[in-house]
Amino acid sequence: MNLPFFPRLKGDITIWFIFFALLIISLVEVFSAISMLSYGSGTFWAPFIRQAMFLSVGAIICVAVSYIPSTLFKFVSAGWPIIVLVLLITALSGGEVNGASRWLNIMGMSFQPSEFAKGILIATIALVLARCREGGGVNRFAIRYVAIFTLPVALLIFKDNISTGLFLCLVIYMMMFVAGVPAKQMAGLTLGIMILGAVGYTSLRAFPDQDDPFYKTSVGGMFKRVPTAKERVFGKSLVITADPDSLVVTDKNMQVVHARIAASNNNHGIGLMPGNSVERDYLPQAYSDFIFAIIIEETGLWGSGIVLLLYLVLLFRIGIIANKCGQNFSAFLVMGLGILLVGQALLNMAVATGLGPVTGQTLPLISRGGTSTLITCVYFGMIQSVAWSGLKKVEGVSSQEDNVIELQQEEEITIESADEVVNHSTQNG
C-alpha cells in the first residue's frame, strides 16, 4: 500500500510517523545533551553530525528492509550459531567498557554483538513457535526448543551485561505467552523463574564486595560485574526516597542523583525548553542512558508524555499488525520486536525517573548510538515489511469478497431476467 505523502514508503503509516518523529526528537535532544562530548572532542558540531549521519543511514536501511518480503526473515535464524560464536569470542577477548566485555573490534570498527543477538534470537524463537503451532497455541515441545536456543545466547550476554540478559529472557517469555504455550508449562516456567529470582536475590546480597579479599583472589575474574549489580540494587545509588544520605553525590550515585535533579528541574512541568538543560553538564551519559531525564527537564510533562505515548501507540499498532498477519512466523516476529523495543523504552524511562536500578538500556532511536541505532532501524524496517504483507493480505481478501458479491449479484440478475422471460411467455400463451 502506498502512503499518500510518501509514495515510496510501504507499511503502516502510523508507525512511519512514529519512526520519523523519534528521529527528530533524537536530533533535538542529542544536540542539546552532548555538551560533555563537545568539550571532550574540542568541536561543538562533530558529535551532532555523527548522530545525524547514523540516523540518516538508519532511515535508509529501514526503508530498504521494509521492501524485503517478511517470509525471508526466516533465514535470519541461520545466524544463531554465528552469533553464539561471536558472543563467546566477545566474552573471552572483547573490548571492555566499564569493566564489561561488550564490544568487538573488527578492522578498526567497534560494535556490540548483543545488539545483533537480540534480533537473531527473536527471529529464531518466532520460527520455533511457528513450526510448533497447533490449534490455538503451540504444542508441548515448543518450550523445550525455546530453551535450547535461548539459554546459550542469554547466558553469554548475562556474563557481562546482566540487565540485557535478563531483559532478553523476559522478551522471550512474553513471546511464549502470546504464542499460547500450554498453561501448565507456563505455570511451571513462571514458578521456576520465581525460585531462580529468589535464589539470585539472596546470592546477590551475600556476594562479596569489590574490596573483599575473597573477591579479589577467587571470584573477581569470573563475576566482575556482580558487585556493580549489587550496588545498583542494594546500594544508595538507587535514589527513590528522600533519604538525606542518598542525596549526597558520590562517584557511585552521580548518574542517578543528577538524573533526579534534571527530572525535578522541569519548571513546574512546563519544561525549560530545548537547549536550556542545566544537568546535561553534570549528568554522565546524558545523551545516552539518561536522555529521558533531559527530555523531562527541557520539555516537562507534555514533552515526556508525548515520547511515552509514541512508544505505547507503536505497541498498539504492532498488535494490530500481528492480528492481521496471515503467517504465524511473521506475527510472532513482529510481536517479539514490538515487545523488545517498547519494553526497552519503558525500562529506560523507569531508570531515568527512579523507578528502577540503573540498567544501561538506551532509549530506542532517541539515545545517541551507533550499532544500537542502526539495528533498531532494521527492526522498524522488519515491522513495516510485516505490516505491508499483512495489508496486502487484507486487501486481497477484500477483493475476493467483492468479486464473490459481484458474481452473486450477476447470478441474481440473470435469474430475475429468466423469470421475467418465462412470465412474459406464459402471459402471451
Side-chain angles (χ1 to χ4, degrees):
M1 181 177 117
N2 293 332
L3 303 180
F5 300 106
F6 304 98
R8 295 187 179 181
L9 298 182
K10 295 184 177 181
D12 186 271
I13 188 171
T14 303
I15 294 181
W16 279 123
F17 173 81
I18 293 172
F19 176 75
F20 288 111
L22 292 176
L23 295 186
I24 294 172
I25 293 172
S26 176
L27 284 175
V28 173
E29 291 303 326
V30 168
F31 181 73
S32 178
I34 56 176
S35 58
M36 286 189 176
L37 288 177
S38 300
Y39 178 79
S41 63
T43 173
F44 184 77
W45 287 101
F48 173 76
I49 293 175
R50 175 188 180 276
Q51 178 69 3
M53 290 179 60
F54 270 105
L55 292 178
S56 300
V57 173
I60 295 173
I61 292 175
C62 179
V63 174
V65 173
S66 69
Y67 272 82
I68 300 175
S70 60
T71 53
L72 296 181
F73 294 140
K74 293 179 181 180
F75 295 102
V76 174
S77 60
W80 183 88
I82 299 175
I83 198 62
V84 170
L85 179 61
V86 172
L87 288 172
L88 182 60
I89 295 173
T90 305
L92 296 177
S93 60
E96 291 193 356
V97 177
N98 296 328
S101 300
R102 301 179 182 176
W103 296 81
L104 195 63
N105 298 314
I106 297 179
M107 300 177 62
M109 299 179 61
S110 300
F111 66 95
Q112 288 180 284
S114 61
E115 294 297 328
F116 292 90
K118 294 176 184 177
I120 291 175
L121 180 61
I122 288 175
T124 303
I125 299 305
L127 184 59
V128 168
L129 294 174
R131 294 285 175 84
C132 295
R133 190 71 172 172
E134 188 176 278
V138 296
N139 60 41
R140 59 189 180 88
F141 300 106
I143 192 170
R144 180 189 308 171
Y145 298 125
V146 169
I148 291 173
F149 286 107
T150 301
L151 289 180
V153 175
L155 290 176
L156 286 171
I157 295 176
F158 184 85
K159 177 183 177 297
D160 289 301
N161 197 335
I162 297 175
S163 60
T164 300
L166 292 175
F167 175 65
L168 189 55
C169 289
L170 177 62
V171 172
I172 301 303
Y173 175 88
M174 293 300 298
M175 289 181 65
M176 294 168 62
F177 177 79
V178 172
V181 171
K184 290 184 178 179
Q185 290 185 330
M186 287 300 296
L189 178 61
T190 304
L191 179 61
I193 292 174
M194 293 174 63
I195 294 173
L196 286 176
V199 172
Y201 181 87
T202 305
S203 302
L204 186 63
R205 179 177 287 276
F207 197 86
D209 297 327
Q210 286 181 316
D211 298 332
D212 193 300
F214 179 71
Y215 173 81
K216 295 180 179 180
T217 58
S218 301
V219 297
M222 183 176 297
F223 303 103
K224 54 187 175 183
R225 293 294 298 172
V226 176
T228 302
K230 180 180 180 180
E231 174 63 29
R232 289 175 175 177
V233 174
F234 300 111
K236 292 182 179 180
S237 63
L238 181 60
V239 184
I240 297 179
T241 64
D243 181 3
D245 293 333
S246 299
L247 297 178
V248 176
V249 181
T250 64
D251 291 339
K252 293 182 178 180
N253 68 2
M254 180 183 296
Q255 290 181 323
V256 289
V257 169
H258 283 293
R260 305 306 182 271
I261 295 174
S264 61
N265 185 34
N266 57 31
N267 191 22
H268 305 290
I270 300 175
L272 302 177
M273 297 296 109
N276 295 320
S277 170
V278 176
E279 292 304 311
R280 64 185 177 186
D281 296 329
Y282 305 98
L283 176 60
Q285 302 297 320
Y287 47 82
S288 181
D289 297 354
F290 288 92
I291 196 169
F292 190 67
I294 303 301
I295 293 175
I296 298 175
E297 183 183 18
E298 293 189 341
T299 63
L301 297 178
W302 63 273
S304 57
I306 289 175
V307 173
L308 174 61
L309 182 62
L310 287 174
Y311 286 111
L312 294 180
V313 173
L314 173 64
L315 184 62
F316 176 74
R317 291 301 305 174
I318 287 175
I320 294 176
I321 292 170
N323 187 49
K324 289 181 178 180
C325 190
Q327 295 185 343
N328 292 323
F329 167 75
S330 298
F332 294 147
L333 175 65
V334 76
M335 280 304 302
L337 294 176
I339 294 170
L340 173 70
L341 293 172
V342 179
Q344 183 174 323
L346 296 178
L347 187 58
N348 177 277
M349 295 177 188
V351 171
T353 54
L355 299 178
V358 178
T359 61
Q361 300 296 320
T362 58
L363 194 59
L365 276 192
I366 294 182
S367 294
R368 177 183 180 270
T371 307
S372 60
T373 297
L374 297 180
I375 295 301
T376 300
C377 290
V378 172
Y379 295 160
F380 268 88
M382 295 171 74
I383 291 170
Q384 291 292 41
S385 173
V386 175
W388 179 36
S389 301
L391 289 175
K392 287 201 303 181
K393 171 182 175 296
V394 173
E395 290 172 356
V397 172
S398 299
S399 299
Q400 291 177 2
E401 291 176 350
D402 292 340
N403 292 335
V404 171
I405 292 174
E406 290 178 1
L407 290 174
Q408 290 177 346
Q409 290 176 346
E410 291 177 359
E411 291 177 356
E412 291 176 357
I413 292 173
T414 303
I415 293 172
E416 290 177 356
S417 299
D419 290 341
E420 290 178 358
V421 171
V422 172
N423 291 334
H424 182 70
S425 301
T426 304
Q427 291 175 358
N428 291 336

